[in-house]
Amino acid sequence: MKIEEYKCLIKKAENSKNSHSSDPYRLNYHLMPKVGGLGDPNGLCQVKGIYHLGYIYSPIKFDLEGRSPCVWKQYTTKDFINYQDQEIFIYPDSPRDRDGVYSGSMIYENNKFYAYYTGNVRHKGDHDYITSGRKQNVMRVESEDGINFENKTLLMVNEDFPKNLSQHVRDPQVFKYDNSYYMVIGARNLDDEGCAIVYKTEDLKNFKEINILQTDEKFGYMWECRDLIELNGNIFLIACPQGIDHEKFHFQNAHQCGAFLIEGDFRKEYKIKSFQEFDYGFDFYAARTFFDEKGRRILIGWMDMPESPYALTPTSKNGWDQCLAMPRVLIEKDKHIYQKPLEEFKNLRKSHKNFEDKLFENSPTFEMNINLKKEEDLVIKLRKDCTLNYDSNSKILTLDMGTCGDGRTFRKMKLESLSNLEIFSDTSTLEIFVNDGYATISTRIFDLESQVQVQTKNALIDFYELGGFKF
């Protein structure tokens, strides 16, 4: 498809009076696409007070059969409440990215924005698209204002990567650390082992390989969507390992999303010590981070799970699908990453009620904070028949979606104890912060009933009805 034809189809889709506008599952305080599909968060940064929240966008996903090339689009905001929906800023308009503008990152240096991404090329023919048929090109565009980008440049091709890698090498993250610039990119090697390649650059254009990050024992066949970050003096590699065996209380999704703790120097000698799952729900993947002007490390994930039986939601019938999760502040404590809701989300609160032990309300869009004075059994009922249950004897917290999951069934997590829950419900999302953000549970939910019931003992409950974002 020629790029001008592609742009015409996008314009037609975005200007159509589709049924998506009246879809009751359209969200109030989550970023979602106007039409089509929303994918991985990308190009996250804050510059001169403005947050740039980019994402993979497939605007004609439901207008064509088969694959449609994706683009990069973004929202901008100063306060996480009021947003501007910006125009598409990277199109697949060159031979090196003709089949899609895949994931990457953005950095602001020397008064200029630099966006790095994977230019995807898929050749037709008899290919496995692992060792043949695919090109994963590292590309860069640049901008003075963070809105209009130009100077598309090819930086690396498959042949520039280490020889023991497959053709799955993607999602470049370029960052500054210790007064030098680095890039980390996820990969699958020829032994079907996940890894990450570390590069160094002096000019943000020419990259030299300096290390390969890998676990001693195989941990999945591919690591994608990685971020290498520092929290409180500790180095973590955020990644989405694919191909992990499922366990009763861990790794329950098709693919995983979390962080490796790295001991030593990621540029030289190191050891990967552990992997922490970020989320125990059904829909949290491709998480990326950025450092804001308040000194916060903010994480944003994608509320979907690729290659799962429920990946396509009921909203796709109305011409749109998927959303971004609530932004979360990352805090390290005892080498564990805690996730906290942004303070700015308190500005969504409309009303406040207090309860003890029991609650009966009707609202699909709310924040509810439950603090247990001592550990007790806890039952929360949401919508028609979704339940969140904590058994104080077995120490198991169970989310059972009932008939509200559209293919999502139940998830379990083992806790040493339960002291508090922060629950955020939107029209078709549910995000639960457990024990001050020690763990989270995120899921899409599809039911139009709005009941909220809590039954427990020795609990104080704060209930807030929430408003929505403004555009």
Side-chain angles (χ1 to χ4, degrees), residues 267-289:
R267 299 163 294 186
K268 300 175 182 177
E269 294 185 6
Y270 72 93
K271 188 173 183 62
I272 293 180
K273 300 293 290 185
S274 60
F275 180 78
Q276 174 191 334
E277 288 180 84
F278 273 153
D279 199 272
Y280 288 79
F282 295 89
D283 298 279
F284 195 82
Y285 196 71
R288 310 303 288 264
T289 75

Side-chain angles (χ1 to χ4, degrees), residues 93-159:
D93 55 7
S94 81
R96 298 292 189 172
D97 59 10
R98 71 183 190 199
D99 293 314
V101 180
Y102 276 24
S103 290
S105 61
M106 190 145 68
I107 187 171
Y108 183 76
E109 291 291 331
N110 306 317
N111 297 314
K112 189 172 286 189
F113 293 82
Y114 296 96
Y116 297 82
Y117 66 94
T118 297
N120 187 51
V121 176
R122 287 173 63 93
H123 296 297
K124 294 181 179 180
D126 185 18
H127 299 291
D128 63 2
Y129 297 104
I130 299 172
T131 60
S132 69
R134 179 189 293 267
K135 295 292 183 182
Q136 305 268 259
N137 303 305
V138 178
M139 309 286 290
R140 189 185 81 172
V141 292
E142 53 193 81
S143 172
E144 300 284 347
D145 60 6
I147 304 298
N148 303 288
F149 284 77
E150 59 184 2
N151 297 334
K152 183 173 288 190
T153 306
L154 173 67
L155 302 181
M156 301 176 72
V157 298
N158 285 60
E159 290 72 22

Side-chain angles (χ1 to χ4, degrees), residues 244-408:
I244 305 298
D245 292 335
H246 302 307
E247 299 177 11
K248 185 175 181 179
F249 297 110
H250 295 283
F251 315 131
Q252 298 171 81
N253 286 326
H255 302 303
Q256 315 311 318
C257 180
F260 295 102
L261 173 63
I262 297 180
E263 187 179 83
D265 191 335
F266 70 89
R267 299 163 294 186
K268 300 175 182 177
E269 294 185 6
Y270 72 93
K271 188 173 183 62
I272 293 180
K273 300 293 290 185
S274 60
F275 180 78
Q276 174 191 334
E277 288 180 84
F278 273 153
D279 199 272
Y280 288 79
F282 295 89
D283 298 279
F284 195 82
Y285 196 71
R288 310 303 288 264
T289 75
F290 67 101
F291 200 66
D292 82 347
E293 293 167 359
K294 295 180 180 179
R296 302 179 295 184
R297 175 64 67 175
I298 298 176
L299 175 141
I300 300 179
W302 178 39
M303 288 200 75
D304 188 32
M305 183 52 58
E307 299 179 358
S308 65
Y310 51 81
L312 201 63
T313 75
T315 67
S316 62
K317 298 175 183 177
N318 289 326
W320 72 279
D321 206 10
Q322 315 306 351
C323 64
L324 296 182
M326 291 174 57
R328 304 160 185 199
V329 176
L330 300 185
I331 298 172
E332 183 275 342
K333 182 179 179 182
D334 298 328
K335 302 188 184 304
H336 185 90
I337 297 176
Y338 287 71
Q339 302 173 60
K340 303 277 193 175
L342 284 186
E343 282 291 313
E344 287 90 335
F345 274 61
K346 291 181 179 178
N347 294 321
L348 294 172
R349 293 173 176 174
K350 295 169 60 178
S351 63
H352 180 209
K353 296 180 181 179
N354 296 112
F355 300 87
E356 288 191 23
D357 300 344
K358 295 182 180 181
L359 176 151
F360 297 91
E361 287 290 320
N362 278 282
S363 175
T365 307
F366 64 84
E367 172 192 349
M368 181 168 61
N369 302 324
I370 301 174
N371 290 282
L372 297 169
K373 289 179 281 187
K374 68 175 186 177
E375 190 170 68
E376 300 281 359
D377 289 350
L378 172 68
V379 178
I380 301 172
K381 295 182 180 179
L382 303 168
R383 316 289 172 105
K384 182 180 180 180
D385 56 3
C386 175
T387 60
L388 182 67
N389 177 76
Y390 178 68
D391 187 308
S392 59
N393 290 319
S394 66
K395 309 289 186 181
I396 295 174
L397 181 65
T398 302
L399 174 67
D400 188 334
M401 299 299 294
T403 60
C404 303
D406 190 56
R408 297 159 181 82

